[in-house]
mmCIF file of all heavy atoms in Angstrom:
data_model
loop_
_atom_site.group_PDB
_atom_site.id
_atom_site.type_symbol
_atom_site.label_atom_id
_atom_site.label_comp_id
_atom_site.label_asym_id
_atom_site.label_seq_id
_atom_site.Cartn_x
_atom_site.Cartn_y
_atom_site.Cartn_z
ATOM 1 N N MET C 244 11.199 8.873 -0.083
ATOM 2 C CA MET C 244 10.604 7.695 -0.566
ATOM 3 C C MET C 244 9.536 7.063 0.378
ATOM 4 O O MET C 244 9.654 7.361 1.452
ATOM 5 C CB MET C 244 11.887 6.652 -0.705
ATOM 6 C CG MET C 244 12.832 6.907 -1.828
ATOM 7 S SD MET C 244 12.163 6.766 -3.494
ATOM 8 C CE MET C 244 11.981 4.928 -3.656
ATOM 9 N N ALA C 245 8.670 6.342 -0.243
ATOM 10 C CA ALA C 245 7.639 5.603 0.448
ATOM 11 C C ALA C 245 7.185 4.527 -0.448
ATOM 12 O O ALA C 245 7.518 4.447 -1.613
ATOM 13 C CB ALA C 245 6.452 6.693 0.656
ATOM 14 N N ALA C 246 6.391 3.713 0.112
ATOM 15 C CA ALA C 246 5.860 2.506 -0.671
ATOM 16 C C ALA C 246 5.021 3.156 -1.761
ATOM 17 O O ALA C 246 4.223 4.085 -1.469
ATOM 18 C CB ALA C 246 4.977 1.656 0.267
ATOM 19 N N LYS C 247 5.054 2.487 -2.942
ATOM 20 C CA LYS C 247 4.215 2.954 -4.016
ATOM 21 C C LYS C 247 3.208 1.907 -4.486
ATOM 22 O O LYS C 247 3.524 0.721 -4.525
ATOM 23 C CB LYS C 247 5.223 3.159 -5.205
ATOM 24 C CG LYS C 247 5.992 4.474 -5.093
ATOM 25 C CD LYS C 247 6.550 4.972 -6.494
ATOM 26 C CE LYS C 247 7.219 6.327 -6.472
ATOM 27 N NZ LYS C 247 7.592 6.825 -5.169
ATOM 28 N N ILE C 248 2.100 2.459 -4.736
ATOM 29 C CA ILE C 248 0.916 1.545 -5.303
ATOM 30 C C ILE C 248 0.816 1.641 -6.656
ATOM 31 O O ILE C 248 0.748 2.711 -7.285
ATOM 32 C CB ILE C 248 -0.462 2.113 -4.576
ATOM 33 C CG1 ILE C 248 -0.342 2.266 -2.929
ATOM 34 C CG2 ILE C 248 -1.412 1.084 -4.972
ATOM 35 C CD1 ILE C 248 -0.032 1.037 -2.252
ATOM 36 N N ASP C 249 0.789 0.469 -7.277
ATOM 37 C CA ASP C 249 0.482 0.399 -8.795
ATOM 38 C C ASP C 249 -1.093 0.432 -8.949
ATOM 39 O O ASP C 249 -1.751 -0.545 -8.703
ATOM 40 C CB ASP C 249 0.986 -0.745 -9.496
ATOM 41 C CG ASP C 249 0.809 -0.888 -11.003
ATOM 42 O OD1 ASP C 249 -0.145 -0.035 -11.390
ATOM 43 O OD2 ASP C 249 1.337 -1.600 -11.623
ATOM 44 N N LYS C 250 -1.609 1.589 -9.277
ATOM 45 C CA LYS C 250 -3.055 1.801 -9.219
ATOM 46 C C LYS C 250 -3.718 1.054 -10.400
ATOM 47 O O LYS C 250 -4.917 0.961 -10.461
ATOM 48 C CB LYS C 250 -3.439 3.265 -9.211
ATOM 49 C CG LYS C 250 -3.041 3.853 -7.920
ATOM 50 C CD LYS C 250 -3.703 5.269 -7.685
ATOM 51 C CE LYS C 250 -3.147 6.025 -6.501
ATOM 52 N NZ LYS C 250 -3.658 5.670 -5.250
ATOM 53 N N ASN C 251 -2.896 0.561 -11.412
ATOM 54 C CA ASN C 251 -3.406 -0.278 -12.423
ATOM 55 C C ASN C 251 -3.799 -1.607 -12.033
ATOM 56 O O ASN C 251 -4.672 -2.236 -12.672
ATOM 57 C CB ASN C 251 -2.471 -0.210 -13.606
ATOM 58 C CG ASN C 251 -2.317 1.171 -14.278
ATOM 59 O OD1 ASN C 251 -3.368 1.722 -14.640
ATOM 60 N ND2 ASN C 251 -1.149 1.648 -14.584
ATOM 61 N N THR C 252 -3.132 -2.120 -10.934
ATOM 62 C CA THR C 252 -3.364 -3.512 -10.593
ATOM 63 C C THR C 252 -4.017 -3.562 -9.274
ATOM 64 O O THR C 252 -4.505 -4.782 -8.794
ATOM 65 C CB THR C 252 -1.970 -4.234 -10.617
ATOM 66 O OG1 THR C 252 -0.950 -3.606 -9.711
ATOM 67 C CG2 THR C 252 -1.380 -4.251 -11.964
ATOM 68 N N CYS C 253 -3.881 -2.513 -8.462
ATOM 69 C CA CYS C 253 -4.485 -2.609 -7.143
ATOM 70 C C CYS C 253 -6.084 -2.783 -7.130
ATOM 71 O O CYS C 253 -6.692 -2.059 -7.981
ATOM 72 C CB CYS C 253 -4.224 -1.232 -6.344
ATOM 73 S SG CYS C 253 -5.274 -1.124 -4.871
ATOM 74 N N VAL C 254 -6.635 -3.730 -6.459
ATOM 75 C CA VAL C 254 -8.058 -3.931 -6.455
ATOM 76 C C VAL C 254 -8.874 -3.371 -5.230
ATOM 77 O O VAL C 254 -9.971 -3.571 -5.118
ATOM 78 C CB VAL C 254 -8.399 -5.376 -6.781
ATOM 79 C CG1 VAL C 254 -7.844 -5.837 -8.051
ATOM 80 C CG2 VAL C 254 -7.780 -6.251 -5.655
ATOM 81 N N GLY C 255 -8.055 -2.725 -4.411
ATOM 82 C CA GLY C 255 -8.733 -2.068 -3.256
ATOM 83 C C GLY C 255 -9.147 -3.067 -2.185
ATOM 84 O O GLY C 255 -10.048 -2.783 -1.394
ATOM 85 N N CYS C 256 -8.474 -4.116 -2.162
ATOM 86 C CA CYS C 256 -8.870 -5.239 -1.188
ATOM 87 C C CYS C 256 -8.668 -4.820 0.255
ATOM 88 O O CYS C 256 -9.409 -5.446 1.226
ATOM 89 C CB CYS C 256 -8.231 -6.623 -1.398
ATOM 90 S SG CYS C 256 -6.379 -6.477 -1.076
ATOM 91 N N GLY C 257 -7.639 -4.053 0.603
ATOM 92 C CA GLY C 257 -7.516 -3.550 1.848
ATOM 93 C C GLY C 257 -6.566 -4.371 2.647
ATOM 94 O O GLY C 257 -6.281 -4.002 3.834
ATOM 95 N N GLU C 258 -5.959 -5.443 2.160
ATOM 96 C CA GLU C 258 -4.944 -6.232 2.941
ATOM 97 C C GLU C 258 -3.836 -5.381 3.438
ATOM 98 O O GLU C 258 -3.327 -5.581 4.469
ATOM 99 C CB GLU C 258 -4.508 -7.283 1.997
ATOM 100 C CG GLU C 258 -5.497 -8.442 1.666
ATOM 101 C CD GLU C 258 -5.846 -9.257 2.946
ATOM 102 O OE1 GLU C 258 -4.860 -9.517 3.936
ATOM 103 O OE2 GLU C 258 -7.041 -9.529 3.207
ATOM 104 N N CYS C 259 -3.376 -4.452 2.535
ATOM 105 C CA CYS C 259 -2.235 -3.587 2.883
ATOM 106 C C CYS C 259 -2.554 -2.592 4.080
ATOM 107 O O CYS C 259 -1.773 -2.419 4.899
ATOM 108 C CB CYS C 259 -1.693 -2.793 1.728
ATOM 109 S SG CYS C 259 -2.978 -1.897 0.976
ATOM 110 N N VAL C 260 -3.875 -2.129 4.115
ATOM 111 C CA VAL C 260 -4.222 -1.258 5.074
ATOM 112 C C VAL C 260 -3.958 -1.844 6.463
ATOM 113 O O VAL C 260 -3.411 -1.191 7.356
ATOM 114 C CB VAL C 260 -5.655 -0.772 4.922
ATOM 115 C CG1 VAL C 260 -6.164 0.040 5.930
ATOM 116 C CG2 VAL C 260 -5.841 -0.106 3.579
ATOM 117 N N SER C 261 -4.374 -3.119 6.640
ATOM 118 C CA SER C 261 -4.392 -3.650 7.885
ATOM 119 C C SER C 261 -2.945 -4.252 8.290
ATOM 120 O O SER C 261 -2.610 -4.411 9.438
ATOM 121 C CB SER C 261 -5.330 -4.922 8.118
ATOM 122 O OG SER C 261 -5.336 -5.678 7.056
ATOM 123 N N SER C 262 -2.063 -4.243 7.214
ATOM 124 C CA SER C 262 -0.683 -4.730 7.522
ATOM 125 C C SER C 262 0.188 -3.666 7.899
ATOM 126 O O SER C 262 1.294 -3.851 8.478
ATOM 127 C CB SER C 262 -0.116 -5.379 6.165
ATOM 128 O OG SER C 262 0.259 -4.360 5.222
ATOM 129 N N CYS C 263 -0.233 -2.400 7.806
ATOM 130 C CA CYS C 263 0.664 -1.334 8.109
ATOM 131 C C CYS C 263 0.764 -0.904 9.476
ATOM 132 O O CYS C 263 -0.297 -0.480 10.085
ATOM 133 C CB CYS C 263 0.384 -0.080 7.208
ATOM 134 S SG CYS C 263 1.511 1.318 7.473
ATOM 135 N N PRO C 264 1.960 -1.048 10.169
ATOM 136 C CA PRO C 264 2.017 -0.731 11.581
ATOM 137 C C PRO C 264 1.826 0.739 11.943
ATOM 138 O O PRO C 264 1.470 1.137 12.988
ATOM 139 C CB PRO C 264 3.341 -1.240 12.091
ATOM 140 C CG PRO C 264 4.191 -1.193 10.797
ATOM 141 C CD PRO C 264 3.217 -1.555 9.729
ATOM 142 N N LEU C 265 1.941 1.549 10.908
ATOM 143 C CA LEU C 265 1.891 3.071 11.089
ATOM 144 C C LEU C 265 0.564 3.627 10.651
ATOM 145 O O LEU C 265 0.377 4.844 10.536
ATOM 146 C CB LEU C 265 3.029 3.645 10.503
ATOM 147 C CG LEU C 265 4.464 3.244 11.027
ATOM 148 C CD1 LEU C 265 5.573 3.983 10.235
ATOM 149 C CD2 LEU C 265 4.623 3.576 12.420
ATOM 150 N N ASP C 266 -0.316 2.809 10.098
ATOM 151 C CA ASP C 266 -1.600 3.301 9.596
ATOM 152 C C ASP C 266 -1.358 4.363 8.470
ATOM 153 O O ASP C 266 -1.994 5.225 8.343
ATOM 154 C CB ASP C 266 -2.552 3.828 10.579
ATOM 155 C CG ASP C 266 -3.037 2.783 11.587
ATOM 156 O OD1 ASP C 266 -3.190 1.677 11.169
ATOM 157 O OD2 ASP C 266 -3.292 3.160 12.661
ATOM 158 N N ALA C 267 -0.366 3.942 7.649
ATOM 159 C CA ALA C 267 0.014 4.932 6.484
ATOM 160 C C ALA C 267 -0.766 4.677 5.304
ATOM 161 O O ALA C 267 -0.612 5.534 4.316
ATOM 162 C CB ALA C 267 1.515 4.833 6.307
ATOM 163 N N ILE C 268 -1.591 3.615 5.221
ATOM 164 C CA ILE C 268 -2.321 3.211 4.070
ATOM 165 C C ILE C 268 -3.815 3.433 4.218
ATOM 166 O O ILE C 268 -4.294 2.928 5.226
ATOM 167 C CB ILE C 268 -1.951 1.833 3.391
ATOM 168 C CG1 ILE C 268 -0.542 1.669 3.587
ATOM 169 C CG2 ILE C 268 -2.482 1.691 2.026
ATOM 170 C CD1 ILE C 268 -0.019 0.236 3.127
ATOM 171 N N SER C 269 -4.331 4.029 3.211
ATOM 172 C CA SER C 269 -5.987 4.071 3.270
ATOM 173 C C SER C 269 -6.474 3.679 1.827
ATOM 174 O O SER C 269 -5.672 3.642 1.019
ATOM 175 C CB SER C 269 -6.366 5.517 3.685
ATOM 176 O OG SER C 269 -5.756 6.540 2.768
ATOM 177 N N ILE C 270 -7.769 3.514 1.956
ATOM 178 C CA ILE C 270 -8.393 3.178 0.558
ATOM 179 C C ILE C 270 -9.043 4.564 0.106
ATOM 180 O O ILE C 270 -9.924 4.941 0.821
ATOM 181 C CB ILE C 270 -9.316 2.104 0.607
ATOM 182 C CG1 ILE C 270 -8.569 0.846 1.102
ATOM 183 C CG2 ILE C 270 -10.007 1.732 -0.719
ATOM 184 C CD1 ILE C 270 -7.645 0.158 0.183
ATOM 185 N N GLU C 271 -8.663 4.899 -1.112
ATOM 186 C CA GLU C 271 -9.283 6.177 -1.648
ATOM 187 C C GLU C 271 -9.744 5.893 -3.100
ATOM 188 O O GLU C 271 -9.011 5.566 -3.920
ATOM 189 C CB GLU C 271 -8.272 7.407 -1.580
ATOM 190 C CG GLU C 271 -7.799 7.836 -0.217
ATOM 191 C CD GLU C 271 -6.657 8.863 -0.278
ATOM 192 O OE1 GLU C 271 -6.445 9.404 -1.305
ATOM 193 O OE2 GLU C 271 -6.218 9.117 0.805
ATOM 194 N N GLY C 272 -11.072 6.055 -3.252
ATOM 195 C CA GLY C 272 -11.542 5.766 -4.560
ATOM 196 C C GLY C 272 -11.325 4.312 -5.004
ATOM 197 O O GLY C 272 -11.018 4.190 -6.031
ATOM 198 N N GLU C 273 -11.392 3.384 -4.028
ATOM 199 C CA GLU C 273 -11.241 1.876 -4.253
ATOM 200 C C GLU C 273 -9.698 1.525 -4.773
ATOM 201 O O GLU C 273 -9.587 0.496 -5.210
ATOM 202 C CB GLU C 273 -12.306 1.338 -5.380
ATOM 203 C CG GLU C 273 -13.672 1.663 -4.892
ATOM 204 C CD GLU C 273 -14.656 1.165 -5.903
ATOM 205 O OE1 GLU C 273 -14.268 0.695 -6.930
ATOM 206 O OE2 GLU C 273 -15.889 1.174 -5.452
ATOM 207 N N LYS C 274 -8.891 2.366 -4.263
ATOM 208 C CA LYS C 274 -7.459 2.099 -4.553
ATOM 209 C C LYS C 274 -6.709 2.511 -3.294
ATOM 210 O O LYS C 274 -7.047 3.435 -2.635
ATOM 211 C CB LYS C 274 -6.899 2.954 -5.804
ATOM 212 C CG LYS C 274 -7.404 2.695 -7.124
ATOM 213 C CD LYS C 274 -7.192 1.314 -7.650
ATOM 214 C CE LYS C 274 -8.102 1.149 -9.059
ATOM 215 N NZ LYS C 274 -7.805 -0.169 -9.696
ATOM 216 N N ALA C 275 -5.707 1.685 -3.062
ATOM 217 C CA ALA C 275 -4.746 2.049 -1.964
ATOM 218 C C ALA C 275 -3.958 3.330 -2.137
ATOM 219 O O ALA C 275 -3.550 3.614 -3.224
ATOM 220 C CB ALA C 275 -3.823 0.979 -1.629
ATOM 221 N N ALA C 276 -3.819 4.197 -1.140
ATOM 222 C CA ALA C 276 -3.124 5.367 -1.040
ATOM 223 C C ALA C 276 -2.162 5.390 0.160
ATOM 224 O O ALA C 276 -2.598 5.137 1.285
ATOM 225 C CB ALA C 276 -4.017 6.611 -1.163
ATOM 226 N N VAL C 277 -0.855 5.606 -0.116
ATOM 227 C CA VAL C 277 0.158 5.662 0.905
ATOM 228 C C VAL C 277 0.381 7.157 1.249
ATOM 229 O O VAL C 277 0.563 8.057 0.480
ATOM 230 C CB VAL C 277 1.481 5.175 0.488
ATOM 231 C CG1 VAL C 277 2.531 5.221 1.483
ATOM 232 C CG2 VAL C 277 1.175 3.628 0.134
ATOM 233 N N ASP C 278 0.211 7.454 2.648
ATOM 234 C CA ASP C 278 0.721 8.737 3.233
ATOM 235 C C ASP C 278 2.283 8.852 3.236
ATOM 236 O O ASP C 278 2.818 8.175 3.995
ATOM 237 C CB ASP C 278 0.010 8.949 4.585
ATOM 238 C CG ASP C 278 0.545 10.439 5.198
ATOM 239 O OD1 ASP C 278 1.510 10.888 4.667
ATOM 240 O OD2 ASP C 278 -0.231 10.811 6.066
ATOM 241 N N GLU C 279 2.864 9.476 2.263
ATOM 242 C CA GLU C 279 4.229 9.471 2.155
ATOM 243 C C GLU C 279 5.016 10.008 3.350
ATOM 244 O O GLU C 279 6.235 9.598 3.689
ATOM 245 C CB GLU C 279 4.668 10.158 0.853
ATOM 246 C CG GLU C 279 4.170 9.461 -0.440
ATOM 247 C CD GLU C 279 4.657 10.049 -1.694
ATOM 248 O OE1 GLU C 279 5.370 11.114 -1.613
ATOM 249 O OE2 GLU C 279 4.304 9.556 -2.752
ATOM 250 N N GLY C 280 4.428 10.844 4.023
ATOM 251 C CA GLY C 280 5.050 11.498 5.164
ATOM 252 C C GLY C 280 5.039 10.514 6.456
ATOM 253 O O GLY C 280 5.834 10.646 7.331
ATOM 254 N N THR C 281 4.094 9.486 6.412
ATOM 255 C CA THR C 281 4.051 8.555 7.480
ATOM 256 C C THR C 281 4.773 7.207 7.182
ATOM 257 O O THR C 281 5.357 6.683 8.194
ATOM 258 C CB THR C 281 2.627 8.353 7.794
ATOM 259 O OG1 THR C 281 1.921 9.419 8.045
ATOM 260 C CG2 THR C 281 2.305 7.440 8.994
ATOM 261 N N CYS C 282 4.812 6.859 5.992
ATOM 262 C CA CYS C 282 5.387 5.699 5.699
ATOM 263 C C CYS C 282 6.908 5.552 6.146
ATOM 264 O O CYS C 282 7.792 6.433 5.818
ATOM 265 C CB CYS C 282 5.355 5.279 4.153
ATOM 266 S SG CYS C 282 6.247 3.918 3.530
ATOM 267 N N ALA C 283 7.316 4.457 6.791
ATOM 268 C CA ALA C 283 8.683 4.318 7.242
ATOM 269 C C ALA C 283 9.448 3.215 6.462
ATOM 270 O O ALA C 283 10.563 2.859 6.763
ATOM 271 C CB ALA C 283 8.721 3.880 8.678
ATOM 272 N N GLU C 284 8.918 2.868 5.334
ATOM 273 C CA GLU C 284 9.504 1.976 4.317
ATOM 274 C C GLU C 284 9.869 0.711 5.070
ATOM 275 O O GLU C 284 10.908 0.026 4.700
ATOM 276 C CB GLU C 284 10.759 2.602 3.722
ATOM 277 C CG GLU C 284 10.434 3.834 3.022
ATOM 278 C CD GLU C 284 11.703 4.581 2.445
ATOM 279 O OE1 GLU C 284 12.658 3.828 1.994
ATOM 280 O OE2 GLU C 284 11.828 5.841 2.582
ATOM 281 N N CYS C 285 9.054 0.168 5.844
ATOM 282 C CA CYS C 285 9.267 -1.102 6.435
ATOM 283 C C CYS C 285 9.112 -2.302 5.681
ATOM 284 O O CYS C 285 9.750 -3.363 5.918
ATOM 285 C CB CYS C 285 8.370 -1.216 7.790
ATOM 286 S SG CYS C 285 6.648 -1.619 7.503
ATOM 287 N N GLY C 286 8.324 -2.167 4.632
ATOM 288 C CA GLY C 286 8.093 -3.240 3.685
ATOM 289 C C GLY C 286 6.983 -4.252 4.078
ATOM 290 O O GLY C 286 6.654 -5.128 3.297
ATOM 291 N N ALA C 287 6.368 -4.106 5.280
ATOM 292 C CA ALA C 287 5.291 -5.059 5.668
ATOM 293 C C ALA C 287 4.166 -5.112 4.614
ATOM 294 O O ALA C 287 3.720 -6.327 4.409
ATOM 295 C CB ALA C 287 4.740 -4.685 6.854
ATOM 296 N N CYS C 288 3.851 -4.069 4.074
ATOM 297 C CA CYS C 288 2.763 -4.057 3.069
ATOM 298 C C CYS C 288 3.033 -4.725 1.691
ATOM 299 O O CYS C 288 2.116 -5.369 1.102
ATOM 300 C CB CYS C 288 2.273 -2.711 2.862
ATOM 301 S SG CYS C 288 3.512 -1.538 2.121
ATOM 302 N N VAL C 289 4.313 -4.718 1.310
ATOM 303 C CA VAL C 289 4.687 -5.248 0.104
ATOM 304 C C VAL C 289 4.332 -6.746 0.025
ATOM 305 O O VAL C 289 3.866 -7.205 -1.107
ATOM 306 C CB VAL C 289 6.229 -5.020 -0.107
ATOM 307 C CG1 VAL C 289 6.759 -5.734 -1.449
ATOM 308 C CG2 VAL C 289 6.531 -3.513 -0.207
ATOM 309 N N ASP C 290 4.697 -7.478 0.997
ATOM 310 C CA ASP C 290 4.487 -8.917 0.995
ATOM 311 C C ASP C 290 3.036 -9.377 1.033
ATOM 312 O O ASP C 290 2.740 -10.498 0.689
ATOM 313 C CB ASP C 290 5.155 -9.503 2.145
ATOM 314 C CG ASP C 290 6.768 -9.351 2.062
ATOM 315 O OD1 ASP C 290 7.162 -9.282 0.808
ATOM 316 O OD2 ASP C 290 7.413 -9.336 3.042
ATOM 317 N N VAL C 291 2.171 -8.543 1.620
ATOM 318 C CA VAL C 291 0.660 -9.036 1.812
ATOM 319 C C VAL C 291 -0.110 -8.752 0.528
ATOM 320 O O VAL C 291 -1.293 -9.343 0.394
ATOM 321 C CB VAL C 291 0.161 -8.404 3.049
ATOM 322 C CG1 VAL C 291 0.887 -8.729 4.290
ATOM 323 C CG2 VAL C 291 -0.149 -6.921 2.814
ATOM 324 N N CYS C 292 0.326 -7.905 -0.376
ATOM 325 C CA CYS C 292 -0.491 -7.691 -1.532
ATOM 326 C C CYS C 292 -0.673 -8.831 -2.408
ATOM 327 O O CYS C 292 0.361 -9.235 -2.996
ATOM 328 C CB CYS C 292 0.021 -6.425 -2.414
ATOM 329 S SG CYS C 292 -1.114 -6.106 -3.687
ATOM 330 N N PRO C 293 -1.901 -9.236 -2.653
ATOM 331 C CA PRO C 293 -2.091 -10.445 -3.466
ATOM 332 C C PRO C 293 -1.663 -10.194 -5.006
ATOM 333 O O PRO C 293 -1.595 -11.149 -5.871
ATOM 334 C CB PRO C 293 -3.537 -10.874 -3.319
ATOM 335 C CG PRO C 293 -4.256 -9.526 -2.910
ATOM 336 C CD PRO C 293 -3.076 -8.818 -2.086
ATOM 337 N N ASN C 294 -1.723 -8.872 -5.352
ATOM 338 C CA ASN C 294 -1.411 -8.594 -6.729
ATOM 339 C C ASN C 294 -0.055 -8.026 -7.014
ATOM 340 O O ASN C 294 0.257 -7.563 -8.095
ATOM 341 C CB ASN C 294 -2.554 -7.669 -7.275
ATOM 342 C CG ASN C 294 -3.924 -8.109 -7.146
ATOM 343 O OD1 ASN C 294 -4.068 -9.336 -7.471
ATOM 344 N ND2 ASN C 294 -4.923 -7.393 -6.722
ATOM 345 N N LYS C 295 0.759 -7.954 -6.018
ATOM 346 C CA LYS C 295 2.108 -7.387 -6.161
ATOM 347 C C LYS C 295 2.045 -6.012 -6.653
ATOM 348 O O LYS C 295 2.761 -5.617 -7.466
ATOM 349 C CB LYS C 295 2.956 -8.184 -6.967
ATOM 350 C CG LYS C 295 3.158 -9.844 -6.382
ATOM 351 C CD LYS C 295 4.305 -10.366 -7.076
ATOM 352 C CE LYS C 295 4.419 -11.814 -6.570
ATOM 353 N NZ LYS C 295 4.324 -12.131 -5.153
ATOM 354 N N SER C 296 0.974 -5.256 -5.970
ATOM 355 C CA SER C 296 0.935 -3.928 -6.545
ATOM 356 C C SER C 296 1.700 -2.827 -5.704
ATOM 357 O O SER C 296 1.688 -1.664 -6.111
ATOM 358 C CB SER C 296 -0.649 -3.511 -6.315
ATOM 359 O OG SER C 296 -1.430 -4.331 -6.997
ATOM 360 N N ILE C 297 2.473 -3.287 -4.791
ATOM 361 C CA ILE C 297 3.098 -2.297 -3.821
ATOM 362 C C ILE C 297 4.689 -2.535 -3.999
ATOM 363 O O ILE C 297 5.164 -3.809 -4.014
ATOM 364 C CB ILE C 297 2.807 -2.445 -2.354
ATOM 365 C CG1 ILE C 297 1.339 -2.538 -2.196
ATOM 366 C CG2 ILE C 297 3.422 -1.363 -1.525
ATOM 367 C CD1 ILE C 297 0.756 -2.703 -0.788
ATOM 368 N N SER C 298 5.343 -1.477 -4.263
ATOM 369 C CA SER C 298 6.890 -1.646 -4.324
ATOM 370 C C SER C 298 7.494 -0.556 -3.444
ATOM 371 O O SER C 298 6.828 0.420 -3.100
ATOM 372 C CB SER C 298 7.271 -1.310 -5.840
ATOM 373 O OG SER C 298 6.802 -0.236 -6.348
ATOM 374 N N LEU C 299 8.772 -0.748 -3.314
ATOM 375 C CA LEU C 299 9.580 0.127 -2.430
ATOM 376 C C LEU C 299 10.669 0.624 -3.302
ATOM 377 O O LEU C 299 11.166 -0.007 -4.024
ATOM 378 C CB LEU C 299 9.981 -0.323 -1.071
ATOM 379 C CG LEU C 299 9.122 -0.396 0.115
ATOM 380 C CD1 LEU C 299 9.615 -1.096 1.294
ATOM 381 C CD2 LEU C 299 8.882 1.040 0.530
HETATM 382 S S1 SF4 K 25 -3.146 -5.226 -0.846
HETATM 383 FE FE1 SF4 K 25 -2.678 -4.655 -2.953
HETATM 384 S S2 SF4 K 25 -4.556 -5.011 -4.097
HETATM 385 FE FE2 SF4 K 25 -5.203 -4.760 -1.948
HETATM 386 S S3 SF4 K 25 -5.698 -2.635 -1.506
HETATM 387 FE FE3 SF4 K 25 -3.486 -3.108 -0.932
HETATM 388 S S4 SF4 K 25 -2.358 -2.419 -2.874
HETATM 389 FE FE4 SF4 K 25 -4.466 -2.788 -3.443
HETATM 390 S S1 SF4 K 26 6.225 0.251 3.937
HETATM 391 FE FE1 SF4 K 26 5.519 -0.217 6.021
HETATM 392 S S2 SF4 K 26 5.195 1.873 6.789
HETATM 393 FE FE2 SF4 K 26 5.191 2.156 4.557
HETATM 394 S S3 SF4 K 26 3.021 1.796 3.925
HETATM 395 FE FE3 SF4 K 26 4.075 -0.217 3.857
HETATM 396 S S4 SF4 K 26 3.543 -1.221 5.843
HETATM 397 FE FE4 SF4 K 26 3.229 0.956 6.053
#
């Protein structure tokens, strides 16, 4: 399991990228992408997304 991005609602703002302590999120094609092997499911990114596009 890893944080999941709803690519239908993600606007690529990058807020989640800077929130991740493990640098597990990057912006690819103007959408956030989670490196599932790196994500520790800490939940930090979930709360910062203005569009509630991230779930665990
Ligand atoms: S914070 Fe939300 S809208 Fe912004 S890039 Fe991350 S997932 Fe997308
Ligand atoms: S749940 Fe934590 S480790 Fe995983 S992508 Fe979000 S901030 Fe990074």
Side-chain angles (χ1 to χ4, degrees):
M244 290 291 290
K247 284 201 172 15
I248 309 293
D249 181 345
K250 298 198 187 274
N251 291 316
T252 58
C253 172
V254 296
C256 69
E258 288 293 319
C259 55
V260 174
S261 47
S262 78
C263 179
L265 299 177
D266 289 333
I268 314 178
S269 56
I270 301 293
E271 296 177 6
E273 301 186 352
K274 303 287 179 179
V277 175
D278 179 341
E279 296 186 358
T281 303
C282 174
E284 301 174 44
C285 72
C288 57
V289 174
D290 293 331
V291 304
C292 179
N294 298 324
K295 303 201 184 311
S296 301
I297 312 176
S298 57
L299 275 174

